[in-house]
Amino acid sequence: MGCNKESCCPRCLVKTKNHGDLDECACRSTVDTLKTLGRMRRNKRSSKFDKEGLREVFEPFWKDLPFTDISACITPDILHQLHKGIFHDHLVQWCLSMLGEKEMDTCFQAVTRYPGLRHFKKRISAVSQWTGREHKEMERVFVCLLSGAAEETVLVMARSLLDFIYYTQFQQHTDKTLTAMQDSLRLFHMHKDILVELGIREHFNVPKIHSLVHYVSSIRALGSADGYNSEYPERLHIDYAKDAYRASNKRDYVEQMALWLQRQEAIHHKSAYHAWRVLKKSASMDAIDRSSGGGDDRSETDSDVGDRLGEGGGDEADHLAAQKPSGM
């Protein structure tokens, strides 16, 4: 979407080697990006093209869209950037390298049972498929697991990241909450070097870590981050991918899936049309009864109306309504 490489930020011009810094760089410009792409297309070489980490996408879909800044349209994602990315792929892996897999499993198994709190009685290292629910359940007890098992600086680093994740999930924000959110991110950057000292990390030039810098500005511009969280439409993977795959014969399934989805959409539109017709006929019958003075004491019951609708009474009602004098 941003016409840039995966290792580069689609929102700003930060250098790859500076992804671990807290500073926010200058935002990308749609006009400048199009000019650079056009120059590269004509000359086949451009130092600015390589410097900004662009790809040879010379006809982006947003090229002719008015009043569109594609870099501002790329929003944070709580599910993939925070729960799966920052927490599972980074923080958990750092702590596993420090404590060991066996110690981490033992800590999760030793958590006291409490109503509403998930107890990981089995090893977390044996979980084959992680979902947003597992990530959030682990985040609730993760700080207490590290208490007494890790150094105090590591504990502060982990707590600051988890604080940031929880602040991000607020449905409403104020200047106070955004300031606390920014302070938790600043606290992480102050204590992250402990991982380098322990030999767990060599650097923090990770795109997902850099993406945290843009959260506060995105929330101020577009509202709370839960409004554009990809976790909510994740359920549609079942309706539009898994169910369609199961309906195929598992061979050359892409074309079969597309045809199945097309037929499902046609059935949905036809069902919606029939429901609208029934509602329209029912409204016409009610209008005729009211105009004849029946009021609420109609001689026909709702079941009688339904029978007439099933026998084509609705079409007759439409005809009578069309012939009704305008003065009535």
Side-chain angles (χ1 to χ4, degrees), residues 162-176:
L162 289 171
D163 285 346
F164 183 88
I165 293 175
Y166 276 106
Y167 278 124
T168 306
Q169 298 177 76
F170 280 13
Q171 296 182 352
Q172 293 181 342
H173 279 282
T174 62
D175 289 337
K176 185 177 181 179

Side-chain angles (χ1 to χ4, degrees), residues 90-100 104 142 146 154 158:
H90 295 296
L91 182 57
V92 173
Q93 301 306 317
W94 298 340
C95 296
L96 280 173
S97 300
M98 180 176 52
L99 300 180
M104 183 69 73
F142 199 76
L146 297 180
V154 175

Side-chain angles (χ1 to χ4, degrees), residues 254-296:
V254 175
E255 183 177 354
Q256 298 180 52
M257 291 171 63
L259 181 60
W260 185 85
L261 289 172
Q262 183 180 1
R263 290 173 176 173
Q264 293 296 315
E265 185 178 10
I267 293 174
H268 170 73
H269 287 316
K270 187 174 183 180
S271 300
Y273 172 75
H274 281 305
W276 172 77
R277 286 291 300 171
V278 170
L279 183 63
K280 181 181 178 182
K281 291 176 182 178
S282 178
S284 299
M285 294 294 295
D286 292 342
I288 292 175
D289 289 340
R290 286 194 299 270
S291 63
S292 62
D296 295 333

Side-chain angles (χ1 to χ4, degrees), residues 180-292:
M181 182 177 170
Q182 190 67 31
D183 290 341
S184 62
L185 180 60
R186 188 177 296 108
L187 188 63
F188 162 73
H189 282 278
M190 290 174 56
H191 295 85
K192 66 183 179 182
D193 291 335
I194 185 62
L195 299 176
V196 178
E197 297 175 5
L198 296 175
I200 298 175
R201 291 287 307 180
E202 295 182 359
H203 59 79
F204 293 91
N205 297 327
V206 181
K208 282 188 173 64
I209 293 180
H210 168 73
S211 67
L212 305 182
V213 175
H214 300 294
Y215 271 64
V216 173
S217 58
S218 295
I219 291 174
R220 290 188 181 277
L222 304 173
S224 57
D226 71 312
Y228 33 89
N229 183 12
S230 63
E231 183 178 1
Y232 300 137
E234 193 80 4
R235 169 67 173 75
L236 299 178
H237 286 180
I238 298 176
D239 298 336
Y240 297 142
K242 294 182 178 180
D243 288 347
Y245 178 76
R246 296 189 188 103
S248 70
N249 62 2
K250 315 303 187 292
R251 298 180 62 183
D252 299 328
Y253 52 83
V254 175
E255 183 177 354
Q256 298 180 52
M257 291 171 63
L259 181 60
W260 185 85
L261 289 172
Q262 183 180 1
R263 290 173 176 173
Q264 293 296 315
E265 185 178 10
I267 293 174
H268 170 73
H269 287 316
K270 187 174 183 180
S271 300
Y273 172 75
H274 281 305
W276 172 77
R277 286 291 300 171
V278 170
L279 183 63
K280 181 181 178 182
K281 291 176 182 178
S282 178
S284 299
M285 294 294 295
D286 292 342
I288 292 175
D289 289 340
R290 286 194 299 270
S291 63
S292 62

